[in-house]
Amino acid sequence: MVQKYQSPVRVYKHPFELIMAAYERRFPTCPLIPMFVDSDTVSEFKSEDGAIHVIERRCKLDIDAPRLLKKKNSLNSRERTLHIEAHNETFSNRVIINEHCCYTGKEIIEYYLRQLEDEGITYVPRWTPPALGPSSETSASSKNQAVSTAAIVPDATLKEGLSGEALSNPSGAPEPVVGTPDDKLDADYIKRYLGDLTPLQESCLIRLRQWLQETHKGKIPKDEHILRFLRARDFNIDKAREIMCQSLTWRKQHQVDYILDTWTPPQVLQDYYAGGWHHHDKDGRPLYVLRLGQMDTKGLVRALGEEALLRYVLSINEEGLRRCEENTKVFGRPISSWTCLVDLEGLNMRHLWRPGVKALLRIIEVVEANYPETLGRLLILRAPRVFPVLWTLVSPFIDDNTRRKFLIYAGNDYQGPGGLLDYIDKEIIPDFLSGECMCEVPEGGLVPKSLYRTAEELENEDLKLWTETIYQSASVFKGAPHEILIQIVDASSVITWDFDVCKGDIVFNIYHSKRSPQPPKKDSLGAHSITSPGGNNVQLIDKVWQLGRDYSMVESPLICKEGESVQGSHVTRWPGFYILQWRFHSMPACAATNLPRVDDVLASLQVSSHKCKVMYYTEVIGSEDFRGSMTSLESSHSGFSQLSAATTSSSQSHSSSMISRWRFC
């Protein structure tokens, strides 16, 4: 059995060469690692130009074992990369490590970096190729210089700590200056915007952010946002990644990023929703005041419907995120959550109206899933006798971490020791709580019945609210792809697409035909009629059509995994009819000599009932508008069209795409 180990990614604010020089000092012994007793050099190789340095060591460990690990470290100063191979010489079950950087702790490297700094060494020059010339003196000088440089940064450095940034920068481009926005892991940046992070937590943030950069191009959430999801899952990267990707898809589908700019709350909410922002607490968190006991929840639901209330709560949460950013700048320290003060005076049995409680539970569910770790503290004041009934209904839907942030006061207990004054300055305690500050939160009151809507009106309004999205959903079945038709009149138009694979794996194709497919026949069971299984599956390509005769492929097939998001564009070469197709992807049978990959096995198990689901949006940009549009700028990054690259090498490329991907799992 062979065990493989993949080290975490570490990013340092110091250049590659300085990290190398610091880590060299941990050999032949390292007092910071008691288990590491000694090491002997078995063999060593240096290239003539000094760029390549390969060293093999036998490492002695203070363990009850007959022998040791043997390590081979290969340092390439030209490409600024480090490769490590390690195996046990004596055991039959070998331990194999192949990586571009491994570490046992960031603190160890920083320990030696401080040693270098104490000795006045704060800079190690990069490797440069030796000067070319006939002079043997020059050659000898270059060789000596190469050996000298290699002596400063041997591959001992390999064993630990290189940064993902350093390794991903083999071109030699200058690293960002410490403290600039590009240097996201500068200590000052962390302290100023993210708060105290342990090395492990910092590593989790780096790894998750790097994964997003690689698979989620153009839509990277801020570090503060990523940290919220990590904290919500105790820095379990896989769990945090899953819930964050689901949330990103949800935000995209419902255009939540634009809710503050595009949606205005109805006047009924502005007049009767007894909640609003009110200064900040003693920790600098934005303070939201909700007079729930004065609010007519039944009247609001009857007048607006559940979806309008949900959208309003989402806008409050988005405003809270914005205020946290503003307070971070004002107070000069990380403010990542807000405080909510809930006054329950007036709460009674009418607030336990079943549709109102249902709406409240729905709101809690959505907020918990998409705004984790945004509530810093919840102060519940003047809780009446009916409160335990309400608490029994809603508490099971509240996350344990969130529940621990609740402070509940009955009667006037909030005015005593450990009460409101411990969390809010006296000067901003609202007047309705015997404070001195006028609070502009609406007083609520009963919603006039004249504003009530019928059940049919509310149903239509709810449908309108949450179908105000540019995306459509479709089901893709095995043997029944989903297809949409786009007619192009002017050549050189641009077809753009943006879709998410919500379930299963699919193959995305684009075809062209000179004649229009027949519309789907809903009353038959022929090739065009597979709309019944999901109600939103349409097939346009007739079974009697032949590829190459009736229609042609204009982009090579793209396999998209569950959870991925894909954006791209195609510059049309001919007028006619273009068909965008999403087809079920069947897992190919594994060859007899190859074992199946774990990811493939898991993916095949996750796809049930031979059904996939996609959420998509398409748009056609006229040729006259193409060059001036933002979409054209984005689509200039080619990453999709392998077919076009092969067929248009002698002329300009007619298709290009930008792919952005992420996974739920």
Side-chain angles (χ1 to χ4, degrees):
M1 176 180 178
V2 176
Q3 296 180 349
K4 293 188 177 181
Y5 168 73
Q6 174 65 46
S7 69
V9 176
R10 268 289 180 193
V11 179
Y12 291 89
K13 61 184 179 182
H14 304 283
F16 177 93
E17 290 75 15
L18 193 61
I19 296 293
M20 294 278 98
Y23 199 77
E24 176 192 7
R25 299 196 168 208
R26 64 149 294 178
F27 291 96
T29 61
C30 181
L32 298 181
I33 308 179
M35 184 180 292
F36 187 85
V37 178
D38 197 3
S39 63
D40 299 322
T41 300
V42 177
S43 63
E44 186 173 5
F45 166 78
K46 297 178 183 177
S47 61
E48 291 187 2
D49 60 2
I52 306 298
H53 186 193
V54 179
I55 187 168
E56 194 170 10
R57 289 187 179 89
R58 189 169 279 124
C59 305
K60 299 178 182 179
L61 306 178
D62 186 17
I63 57 176
D64 187 16
R67 222 150 105 98
L68 359 136
L69 285 176
K70 193 173 183 180
K71 280 185 167 291
K72 182 179 179 181
N73 300 328
S74 304
L75 173 65
N76 189 326
S77 298
R78 180 187 296 109
E79 297 183 359
R80 307 178 83 222
T81 60
L82 183 63
H83 186 80
I84 304 171
E85 297 178 19
H87 68 271
N88 189 291
E89 292 184 301
T90 57
F91 297 123
S92 58
N93 292 341
R94 300 179 65 202
V95 177
I96 298 177
I97 302 175
N98 291 304
E99 51 190 297
H100 279 87
C101 184
C102 162
Y103 68 93
T104 56
K106 181 178 179 181
E107 295 79 2
I108 297 174
I109 295 181
E110 291 184 340
Y111 171 83
Y112 291 112
L113 284 171
R114 288 192 293 270
Q115 276 192 357
L116 288 171
E117 186 177 356
D118 292 341
E119 297 172 14
I121 302 174
T122 58
Y123 172 75
V124 176
R126 289 189 180 184
W127 174 88
T128 56
L132 298 177
S135 170
S136 59
E137 181 181 351
T138 303
S139 300
S141 174
S142 300
K143 185 174 181 180
N144 291 336
Q145 180 183 1
V147 172
S148 174
T149 303
I152 295 177
V153 279
D155 22 75
T157 331
L158 331 172
K159 189 167 173 285
E160 275 186 39
L162 235 317
S163 100
E165 285 183 353
L167 296 176
S168 62
N169 187 20
S171 62
E175 289 100 347
V177 179
V178 173
T180 63
D182 290 334
D183 187 7
K184 293 297 185 184
L185 291 171
D186 175 57
D188 293 336
Y189 167 81
I190 295 175
K191 182 178 180 181
R192 177 70 171 78
Y193 295 100
L194 304 181
D196 295 329
L197 295 177
T198 66
L200 178 60
Q201 292 170 345
E202 182 187 342
S203 176
C204 291
L205 172 61
I206 296 166
R207 293 160 61 191
L208 186 51
R209 189 182 65 184
Q210 187 177 49
W211 180 85
L212 285 168
Q213 289 171 340
E214 294 172 354
T215 61
H216 193 56
K217 296 180 178 66
K219 302 178 181 180
I220 307 301
K222 296 180 180 179
D223 287 346
E224 298 90 324
H225 192 72
I226 299 174
L227 266 179
R228 289 188 179 99
F229 286 92
L230 283 169
R231 288 180 174 130
R233 290 299 180 266
D234 295 324
F235 285 87
N236 182 308
I237 291 183
D238 293 335
K239 293 181 179 179
R241 177 171 55 191
E242 179 180 359
I243 61 173
M244 184 173 65
C245 289
Q246 290 173 348
S247 178
L248 290 174
T249 301
W250 170 83
R251 294 180 68 88
K252 179 178 178 180
Q253 181 177 11
H254 298 300
Q255 302 288 288
V256 178
D257 289 335
Y258 312 105
I259 193 170
L260 293 180
D261 300 321
T262 60
W263 186 70
T264 302
Q267 192 62 43
V268 177
L269 280 172
Q270 299 180 40
D271 293 340
Y272 294 98
Y273 190 92
W277 295 99
H278 180 75
H279 301 284
H280 55 79
D281 68 5
K282 287 187 175 182
D283 293 322
R285 298 189 184 103
L287 176 64
Y288 189 83
V289 175
L290 179 64
R291 304 186 67 180
L292 184 60
Q294 304 298 315
M295 197 156 58
D296 182 9
T297 53
K298 178 178 180 180
L300 289 173
V301 173
R302 290 292 303 274
L304 296 168
E306 181 180 320
E307 298 299 331
L309 282 175
L310 174 59
R311 178 169 287 196
Y312 189 53
V313 173
L314 296 182
S315 70
I316 292 171
N317 279 270
E318 290 298 307
E319 176 65 22
L321 294 176
R322 178 181 295 181
R323 287 174 178 263
C324 285
E325 291 186 9
E326 294 173 353
N327 284 19
T328 296
K329 297 175 182 177
V330 171
F331 292 98
R333 63 176 184 272
I335 306 292
S336 60
S337 59
W338 56 83
T339 293
C340 185
L341 187 156
V342 181
D343 178 27
L344 295 184
E345 185 183 48
L347 188 77
N348 55 43
M349 292 302 294
R350 66 183 173 87
H351 290 91
L352 302 182
W353 179 60
R354 184 176 294 274
V357 173
K358 174 177 172 290
L360 177 60
L361 296 179
R362 168 96 185 282
I363 290 171
I364 291 174
E365 180 183 17
V366 172
V367 171
E368 284 279 299
N370 298 285
Y371 299 93
E373 295 298 315
T374 52
L375 180 66
R377 184 179 294 117
L378 181 66
L379 303 170
I380 299 177
L381 310 183
R382 303 198 280 193
R385 291 184 177 181
V386 73
F387 172 71
V389 180
L390 179 62
W391 179 250
T392 301
L393 293 172
V394 302
S395 60
F397 296 88
I398 301 174
D399 182 75
D400 289 340
N401 290 334
T402 303
R403 219 181 305 173
R404 285 193 285 267
K405 300 172 184 176
F406 286 33
L407 296 172
I408 303 172
Y409 301 90
N412 293 325
D413 291 348
Y414 70 92
Q415 296 178 349
L420 203 54
L421 283 174
D422 285 5
Y423 306 103
I424 300 176
D425 289 329
K426 180 180 179 181
E427 295 76 16
I428 65 169
I429 293 180
D431 53 340
F432 60 84
L433 293 174
S434 304
E436 302 174 357
C437 187
M438 293 297 295
C439 185
E440 298 180 359
V441 172
E443 296 183 359
L446 295 175
V447 177
K449 292 187 177 181
S450 59
L451 299 177
Y452 284 14
R453 314 278 286 280
T454 64
E456 292 76 14
E457 290 174 331
L458 288 176
E459 182 178 355
N460 293 334
E461 183 67 20
D462 287 350
L463 183 65
K464 178 182 177 182
L465 280 172
W466 286 108
T467 53
E468 287 177 351
T469 171
I470 58 177
Y471 294 90
Q472 301 182 55
S473 296
S475 297
V476 180
F477 301 91
K478 191 171 185 178
H482 178 71
E483 298 163 344
I484 62 173
L485 182 67
I486 298 176
Q487 184 174 4
I488 298 296
V489 178
D490 299 324
S492 298
S493 297
V494 183
I495 302 174
T496 67
W497 57 84
D498 181 349
F499 64 86
D500 297 317
V501 185
C502 303
K503 179 182 179 182
D505 298 344
I506 60 100
V507 180
F508 179 61
N509 289 295
I510 306 178
Y511 301 103
H512 172 264
S513 176
K514 294 182 180 179
R515 57 178 172 140
S516 173
Q518 296 297 316
K521 300 176 182 179
K522 297 182 179 180
D523 56 345
S524 69
L525 296 177
H528 304 297
S529 64
I530 310 187
T531 58
S532 56
N536 54 357
N537 175 279
V538 176
Q539 293 183 71
L540 299 170
I541 299 177
D542 198 303
K543 285 186 176 180
V544 300
W545 279 22
Q546 294 184 9
L547 184 63
R549 186 190 69 181
D550 300 290
Y551 66 108
S552 60
M553 181 182 293
V554 297
E555 290 277 3
S556 58
L558 178 66
I559 298 175
C560 307
K561 300 292 185 179
E562 178 175 327
E564 291 184 348
S565 178
V566 180
Q567 297 85 38
S569 62
H570 175 82
V571 182
T572 61
R573 300 180 65 181
W574 315 279
F577 301 92
Y578 287 80
I579 300 171
L580 273 59
Q581 181 193 76
W582 291 268
R583 178 167 51 84
F584 183 92
H585 175 57
S586 299
M587 300 297 296
C590 298
T593 57
N594 294 328
L595 292 175
R597 295 185 306 164
V598 174
D599 289 347
D600 294 339
V601 174
L602 293 176
S604 65
L605 293 176
Q606 289 173 353
V607 180
S608 60
S609 307
H610 303 298
K611 176 182 177 181
C612 302
K613 193 169 184 178
V614 295
M615 182 181 74
Y616 66 90
Y617 164 73
T618 62
E619 181 183 5
V620 177
I621 301 176
S623 56
E624 67 279 3
D625 301 324
F626 173 54
R627 294 189 179 278
S629 70
M630 178 60 68
T631 309
S632 69
L633 295 176
E634 293 180 344
S635 65
S636 66
H637 300 84
S638 179
F640 169 82
S641 180
Q642 301 170 359
L643 186 80
S644 297
T647 57
T648 61
S649 57
S650 60
S651 61
Q652 67 176 8
S653 174
H654 292 276
S655 62
S656 60
S657 298
M658 178 180 67
I659 301 177
S660 172
R661 302 180 172 207
W662 69 86
R663 289 192 183 186
F664 291 158
C665 299

